[in-house]
């Protein structure tokens, strides 16, 4: 099957060639919708495709993406951002995906958005490739998404989101507040992201009000778990320990305990001096189910590295050096170049009388 890769861009001359060089390895057609660039973006796009169009920006990312989709002519359509990167291995996976798409309507691919020494630490699934005849469309002025439907293929072809410049400050918040001011109601997903935008921009009390309202609605359970974590941080910053803890525990009513929530609880009891309970929650973090397959945000550090390092600290404090070392070793297998792990390794070599082979 043939594949159209669609992008919306504005002033992306620093990253666009990098992205389109990847897309050219599997795309049968590249569509670029420019929303008002005044740098070399359009010229770079024309190096890869003659299908470059102008879209008059209207504060609506969905409208722009849908415009690009409407220009596509292939059997399948795929969206990318200009600062996305795809390794050769993952490009090959997408080629094979095209060849085996006959029995599917859309494909979901992992999106890696944060990294440590080049390794993804923050990953979540995104709806990525669609059968064009299915007339899939984005919704939401910001944090736009396509509602999943039909026969869904889950692929392990990872897209790496590697930004080199910050987004426009307050852009998303401004767009959402403009929508509210115009009397356009926010759907549940947009309400969730509005609460998060308020939180990330330091408007903590407003964020708490919006996210509490979202939790009482019919939103997606994965987003409700994330909202609870945001509320925990917001209430904690406001000095409201009671509501912070209530919000964190409330996340367990929407899904099984996730690693990040377990680590936060571990830290809460550690700071209270209750090491036994802290151990319990850090251990739970190591075995908690991942939300990655459900489309939830997954900070991989909370799934392994952080709980192992914290258990190392606790057992060292309890005087159980060998067990502390074993947890440090486990953390080192995840991040062998981490400074804290390496410092601990030398410390345990000294304590246990070992040299050079402590991890064996």
């Amino acid at each position: 099957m043939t594949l159209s890769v669609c992008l919306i861009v504005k002033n992306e001359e620093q990253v666009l060639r990098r992205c389109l060089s990847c897309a050219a390895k599997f795309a049968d057609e590249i569509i670029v919708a420019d929303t008002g660039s005044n740098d070399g973006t359009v010229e770079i796009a024309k190096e890869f495709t003659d299908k470059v169009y102008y879209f008059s920006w209207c504060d609506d990312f969905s409208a722009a993406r849908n415009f690009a989709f409407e220009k596509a002519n292939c059997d399948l359509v795929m969206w990318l951002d200009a600062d996305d990167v795809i390794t050769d291995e993952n490009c090959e996976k997408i080629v094979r995906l095209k060849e085996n798409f006959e029995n599917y309507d859309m494909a979901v691919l992992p999106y890696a958005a944060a990294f440590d020494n080049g390794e993804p630490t923050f990953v979540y699934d995104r709806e990525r490739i669609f059968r064009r005849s299915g007339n899939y469309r984005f919704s939401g002025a910001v944090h736009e998404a396509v509602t999943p439907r039909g026969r869904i293929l889950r692929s392990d072809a990872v897209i790496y989101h590697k930004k080199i410049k910050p987004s426009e400050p307050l852009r998303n918040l401004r767009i959402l507040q403009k929508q509210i001011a115009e009397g356009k109601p926010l759907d549940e997903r947009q309400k969730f992201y509005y609460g998060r935008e308020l939180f990330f921009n330091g408007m903590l009390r407003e964020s708490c009000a919006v996210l509490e309202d979202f939790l009482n609605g019919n939103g997606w359970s994965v987003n409700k778990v994330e909202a609870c974590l945001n509320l925990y941080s917001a209430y904690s910053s406001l000095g409201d320990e009671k509501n912070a803890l209530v919000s964190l525990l409330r996340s367990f009513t929407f899904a099984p305990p996730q690693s990040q929530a377990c680590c936060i609880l571990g830290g809460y009891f550690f700071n209270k001096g209750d090491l036994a309970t802290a151990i319990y929650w850090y251990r739970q973090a190591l075995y908690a189910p991942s939300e990655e397959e459900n489309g939830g945000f997954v900070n991989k550090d909370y799934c392994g590295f952080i709980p192992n390092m914290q258990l190392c600290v606790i057992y060292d404090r309890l005087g159980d050096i060998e067990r502390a070392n074993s947890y440090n070793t486990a953390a080192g297998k995840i991040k062998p170049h981490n400074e804290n792990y390496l410092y601990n390794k030398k410390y345990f070599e000294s304590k246990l009388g070992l040299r050079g082979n402590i991890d064996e």
Side-chain angles (χ1 to χ4, degrees):
M1 303 183 78
T2 56
L3 174 66
S4 299
V5 173
C6 304
L7 295 86
I8 59 172
V9 299
K10 181 181 179 181
N11 293 336
E12 299 288 4
E13 65 179 5
Q14 293 177 287
V15 293
L16 185 58
R17 185 176 287 107
R18 182 184 68 178
C19 176
L20 294 182
S21 295
C22 299
K25 296 173 183 177
F26 53 79
D28 299 286
E29 175 183 65
I30 294 176
I31 306 290
V32 177
D34 185 80
T35 66
S37 295
N38 55 20
D39 63 358
T41 294
V42 170
E43 289 71 22
I44 293 171
K46 288 180 177 179
E47 294 175 14
F48 294 87
T49 179
D50 59 356
K51 296 179 178 178
V52 180
Y53 303 92
Y54 176 72
F55 177 81
S56 181
W57 182 242
C58 57
D59 280 342
D60 190 330
F61 282 90
S62 285
R65 290 208 189 273
N66 291 335
F67 171 83
F69 269 23
E70 289 162 5
K71 299 297 183 181
N73 298 290
C74 293
D75 301 313
L76 307 174
V77 290
M78 174 183 186
W79 67 273
L80 287 175
D81 283 338
D83 43 12
D84 289 342
V85 179
I86 310 172
T87 64
D88 286 344
E89 177 185 3
N90 286 308
C91 285
E92 292 171 3
K93 289 180 180 180
I94 295 173
V95 170
R96 293 195 295 272
L97 183 151
K98 288 167 49 181
E99 297 169 350
N100 296 282
F101 209 90
E102 290 83 359
N103 296 321
Y104 297 97
D105 298 302
M106 62 176 289
V108 173
L109 277 63
Y111 206 18
F115 306 86
D116 185 359
N117 286 323
E119 292 299 316
T121 58
F122 184 65
V123 182
Y124 55 100
D125 278 358
R126 282 301 310 264
E127 64 288 358
R128 182 67 63 173
I129 301 175
F130 313 88
R131 190 180 290 270
R132 185 168 65 88
S133 61
N135 196 35
Y136 288 88
R137 290 296 181 266
F138 284 89
S139 62
V142 298
H143 299 292
E144 66 281 7
V146 177
T147 301
R149 57 180 168 84
R151 300 161 297 176
I152 300 175
L153 169 64
R154 293 193 175 274
S155 170
D156 62 352
V158 183
I159 310 296
Y160 296 87
H161 189 58
K162 294 199 170 184
K163 301 181 67 149
I164 65 171
K165 65 177 182 179
S167 300
E168 177 189 339
L170 300 176
R171 179 196 64 193
N172 292 345
L173 186 61
R174 174 182 58 78
I175 291 173
L176 289 168
Q177 290 182 332
K178 176 185 175 184
Q179 184 174 335
I180 295 169
E182 293 174 347
K184 301 175 183 176
L186 302 180
D187 63 23
E188 291 299 315
R189 188 172 188 277
Q190 292 284 286
K191 189 183 296 182
F192 164 65
Y193 279 105
Y194 180 44
R196 283 167 58 83
E197 290 293 339
L198 291 166
F199 170 72
F200 291 133
N201 285 286
M203 303 175 191
L204 300 181
R205 296 190 186 280
E206 297 87 343
S207 172
C208 289
V210 172
L211 291 175
E212 291 283 9
D213 183 52
F214 167 72
L215 290 179
N216 292 323
N218 298 317
W220 192 23
S221 63
V222 171
N223 287 345
K224 289 190 173 186
V225 170
E226 188 68 22
C228 288
L229 300 182
N230 294 148
L231 280 167
Y232 173 83
S233 297
Y235 281 127
S236 295
S237 297
L238 291 168
D240 188 344
E241 181 179 305
K242 178 181 177 181
N243 276 317
L245 191 58
V246 166
S247 298
L248 186 61
L249 295 174
R250 192 176 179 184
S251 70
F252 299 166
T253 68
F254 300 116
Q258 300 301 305
S259 293
Q260 185 171 355
C262 292
C263 282
I264 293 172
L265 275 171
Y268 174 84
F269 287 105
F270 178 82
N271 291 331
K272 295 287 186 183
D274 185 348
L275 300 186
T277 307
I279 287 172
Y280 173 84
W281 284 111
Y282 283 126
R283 283 179 175 171
Q284 292 305 305
L286 292 173
Y287 301 108
S290 170
E291 277 296 297
E292 193 168 347
E293 290 188 0
N294 296 327
F297 301 130
V298 178
N299 188 324
K300 291 181 177 291
D301 282 350
Y302 287 108
C303 301
F305 183 76
I306 290 174
N308 276 311
M309 289 295 286
Q310 291 302 107
L311 286 165
C312 166
V313 171
I314 292 172
Y315 278 110
D316 180 64
R317 184 169 295 187
L318 292 172
D320 191 340
I321 303 300
E322 291 188 357
R323 186 171 292 186
N325 174 55
S326 69
Y327 280 111
N328 189 61
T329 298
K333 290 178 179 178
I334 300 169
K335 293 189 176 185
H337 304 294
N338 180 269
E339 291 181 1
N340 293 325
Y341 154 69
L342 293 172
Y343 176 87
N344 289 346
K345 182 180 178 182
K346 289 183 179 179
Y347 167 77
F348 289 122
E349 285 174 352
S350 174
K351 284 283 186 178
L352 296 171
L354 301 175
R355 292 292 183 272
N357 63 348
I358 195 169
D359 290 341
E360 294 179 4

